[in-house]
């Protein structure tokens, strides 16, 4: 098992989530399918491709001191789980404002992994908002005065089927960059390879 740690600058708190990330070629496949939408809807707030992720647990704002508590149990969790086979598929939207691509493949195992991740977080004594897992990859948000772009783009993605890929790492991610009107920026706090047999 290998751990990657980013020792970048931290404030007193950090917004934290635990996630999976598609490989670059799977993201490129979806980006190619989105190219007409990028051109047609430049006012949408498109997420950076390098920030695309599948959230397993959103922990919200945590004191920086709480974050190291998560590292050993998440490392153990990754070491005991084998990679999942996933694919990006189709498109949809939340409330006509948030555009997403769906997740296909080992979705049952993905749900179990998310359950295990959430159990680990609770065992660390960290409270977080528990919401049912709806596996997806957030792509963009519409501006408040734009009620139709997201729905149109989601309809255009309905037939998209990406190639399957194995999940390689479990990521502990911080998003304390980009607060305010600027786009949110994510960075890995740490990540671990899936080494289970």
């Amino acid at each position: 098992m290998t751990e990657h740690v980013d020792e970048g600058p931290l404030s007193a708190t950090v917004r934290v989530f635990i996630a999976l990330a598609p490989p670059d070629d799977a993201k490129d496949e979806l980006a190619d399918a989105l190219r007409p939408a990028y051109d047609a809807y430049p006012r949408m707030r498109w997420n950076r491709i390098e920030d695309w992720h599948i959230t397993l647990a959103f922990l919200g704002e945590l004191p920086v001191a709480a974050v190291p508590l998560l590292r050993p149990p998440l490392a153990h969790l990754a070491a005991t789980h084998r990679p999942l086979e996933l694919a990006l598929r189709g498109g949809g939207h939340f409330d006509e404002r948030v555009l997403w691509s769906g997740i296909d493949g080992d979705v049952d195992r993905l749900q179990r992994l998310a359950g295990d991740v959430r159990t680990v977080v609770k065992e660390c004594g960290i409270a977080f908002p528990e919401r049912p897992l709806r596996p997806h990859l957030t792509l963009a948000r519409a501006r408040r005065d734009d009620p139709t772009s997201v729905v149109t783009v989601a309809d255009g993605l309905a037939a998209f089927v990406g190639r399957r890929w194995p999940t390689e790492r479990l990521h502990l991610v911080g998003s304390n960059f980009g607060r305010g009107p600027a786009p949110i920026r994510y960075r890995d706090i740490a990540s671990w390879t899936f080494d289970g047999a």
Side-chain angles (χ1 to χ4, degrees), residues 79-125:
T80 57
H81 279 70
R82 63 185 206 280
L84 287 74
E85 289 281 327
L86 299 177
L88 302 174
R89 181 175 188 150
H93 57 86
F94 299 130
D95 300 326
E96 301 178 350
R97 294 212 47 228
V98 178
L99 174 69
W100 50 260
S101 178
I103 308 301
D104 200 7
D106 291 336
V107 177
D108 289 342
R109 285 185 55 222
L110 178 63
Q111 291 279 357
R112 287 195 294 276
L113 175 63
D116 292 347
V117 163
R118 293 168 185 215
T119 297
V120 160
V121 173
K122 287 185 221 168
E123 288 172 351
C124 289

Side-chain angles (χ1 to χ4, degrees), residues 45-48 51 175 177-186:
R45 293 181 300 166
W46 293 97
N47 289 4
R48 299 185 318 158
D51 290 337
S175 62
F177 299 124
R179 302 248 173 110
I184 295 171
R185 295 289 183 252
Y186 304 115

